[in-house]
Amino acid sequence: MEGSSLQNITLCGLGVVLLILASISLFAYGSLIGVGLAATVSNPILIVAIANTVSLVLLAGLYSQLHLLLAHTQRTNEELLVEIGECRREEAQKTELIQALQESEERFRVALKNSPIVVSNQDTDLRYTWVYNPASGVEGSTLVGQLDTELFDPENAQRIIPIKQRVLTTGVGERQEIVITVDGKLRYYDLTVEPLWNQAGEIVGITCAAANITNIHIREQTLHAIFEETIDAILIADDEGYYVEVNPSASQLFGMPNSQLIGHRIADFMEPGFNFEQVWRSFVEMGQSMG
């Protein structure tokens, strides 16, 4: 559109120049004809007047065309100014979008800084196209272009690749806990894989987020060991007061196996007449208020 307007302006400018030159030439030509005829006829003044009149008529026609060209040029200039204004508005919008994107990216980087989360993109061949916050202090750019089979040993790669391939095939995201070996030690990750779509609605890759939950898993294992081995009876109930987990010491205390205790309600072991519902409701509300 902008190129078309500039072309119109150029053509109009050339037309104006040509009309001016043609007008000058025509006026001079008419005058010369009049002068030439005046030398051969008995009434030269009349001949010159007629020649000049014809020249003026032609010049009037040329002036009319020139006026139309100038009007067209003015309209073209106005259209160009409108287009320039639109371009400036679009440029301002692009600048705002770029600034918003930069701010969003900065928040993203701050949120992930020093966190145990690795975020990455891979194409349909599962080659890494972008990696942020990789483990072991490795630069993400050094991983771009590589496959999981090039970064992990075959056993670890086969735990990861099938998940990603399913997401590419089905277009449905998945979240799984995976275990891989890093430097001879087990590492637990909460892996989320989502399809990456283009504007045409086609899958062009995947986005992955892997959170290192090894420390959480170790703490859970430690707590589970304490739960199983302590001599104290521990029973875990849900919000309705039903047992969902009991340890061996609790089974020994009640004289019932775990399978029988789980599913029983605390109220089942209370003395008759005890207002369990009111006490339990107050207990739950107090726990909720404390977070």
Side-chain angles (χ1 to χ4, degrees):
M1 185 69 179
E2 183 177 353
S4 176
S5 298
L6 291 175
Q7 185 178 11
N8 289 336
I9 291 175
T10 303
L11 291 175
C12 289
L14 291 175
V16 170
V17 173
L18 290 174
L19 282 175
I20 292 174
L21 293 175
S23 300
I24 295 173
S25 300
L26 186 59
F27 184 80
Y29 178 71
S31 299
L32 289 174
I33 290 176
V35 172
L37 290 175
T40 60
V41 298
S42 59
N43 194 353
I45 296 176
L46 178 61
I47 297 301
V48 171
I50 292 173
N52 286 336
T53 300
V54 173
S55 297
L56 289 174
V57 170
L58 294 175
L59 285 175
L62 291 175
Y63 174 79
S64 176
Q65 294 298 319
L66 177 61
H67 178 73
L68 292 175
L69 282 174
L70 290 175
H72 177 71
T73 301
Q74 183 178 3
R75 289 195 301 270
T76 303
N77 287 338
E78 292 174 353
E79 292 174 357
L80 181 59
L81 289 175
V82 172
E83 291 180 7
I84 291 174
E86 292 178 353
C87 289
R88 287 177 177 174
R89 283 193 295 272
E90 291 178 359
E91 189 66 26
Q93 291 176 352
K94 289 180 181 178
T95 302
E96 291 177 358
L97 288 174
I98 292 173
Q99 184 177 358
L101 181 61
Q102 290 174 341
E103 292 176 355
S104 178
E105 183 178 359
E106 183 61 25
R107 295 191 191 101
F108 173 78
R109 293 182 183 277
V110 171
L112 290 185
K113 186 178 181 180
N114 299 323
S115 71
I117 302 176
V118 182
V119 184
S120 61
N121 285 138
Q122 290 171 269
D123 60 21
T124 53
D125 294 325
L126 293 182
R127 289 191 179 275
Y128 285 93
T129 58
W130 174 74
V131 182
Y132 183 76
N133 204 31
S136 304
V138 178
E139 285 292 333
S141 58
T142 62
L143 305 178
V144 172
Q146 299 195 56
L147 299 167
D148 287 317
T149 52
E150 298 171 334
L151 299 176
F152 302 100
D153 60 49
E155 184 178 356
N156 287 333
Q158 288 307 312
R159 293 173 180 170
I160 302 172
I161 293 175
I163 302 172
K164 298 178 178 180
Q165 287 178 333
R166 282 197 302 272
V167 173
L168 284 174
T169 302
T170 64
V172 179
E174 291 193 23
R175 180 180 180 182
Q176 290 192 26
E177 182 178 313
I178 61 172
V179 184
I180 61 175
T181 304
V182 180
D183 298 329
K185 298 180 180 179
L186 292 179
R187 293 288 183 268
Y188 296 83
Y189 286 90
D190 182 1
L191 176 64
T192 300
V193 183
E194 293 290 339
L196 186 63
W197 308 84
N198 63 10
Q199 293 183 346
E202 302 168 332
I203 296 178
V204 294
I206 56 174
T207 298
C208 303
N212 188 338
I213 58 172
T214 303
N215 292 335
I216 297 175
H217 197 273
I218 291 174
R219 286 196 294 269
E220 288 179 348
Q221 288 180 325
T222 302
L223 291 174
H224 183 73
I226 294 174
F227 180 80
E228 291 291 327
E229 297 174 8
T230 182
I231 61 174
D232 297 321
I234 302 176
L235 301 94
I236 302 175
D238 61 16
D239 289 346
E240 300 299 325
Y242 288 93
Y243 292 123
V244 294
E245 191 70 39
V246 297
N247 70 346
S249 296
S251 297
Q252 185 177 1
L253 176 65
F254 281 85
M256 299 172 62
N258 290 12
S259 58
Q260 291 185 13
L261 272 175
I262 293 175
H264 270 287
R265 203 162 184 239
I266 298 175
D268 296 339
F269 302 95
M270 296 297 172
E271 294 182 359
F274 181 77
N275 191 349
F276 171 77
E277 299 298 337
Q278 181 178 353
V279 174
W280 183 251
R281 187 164 53 252
S282 299
F283 176 77
V284 171
E285 290 175 355
M286 181 177 64
Q288 291 175 345
S289 65
M290 295 176 63

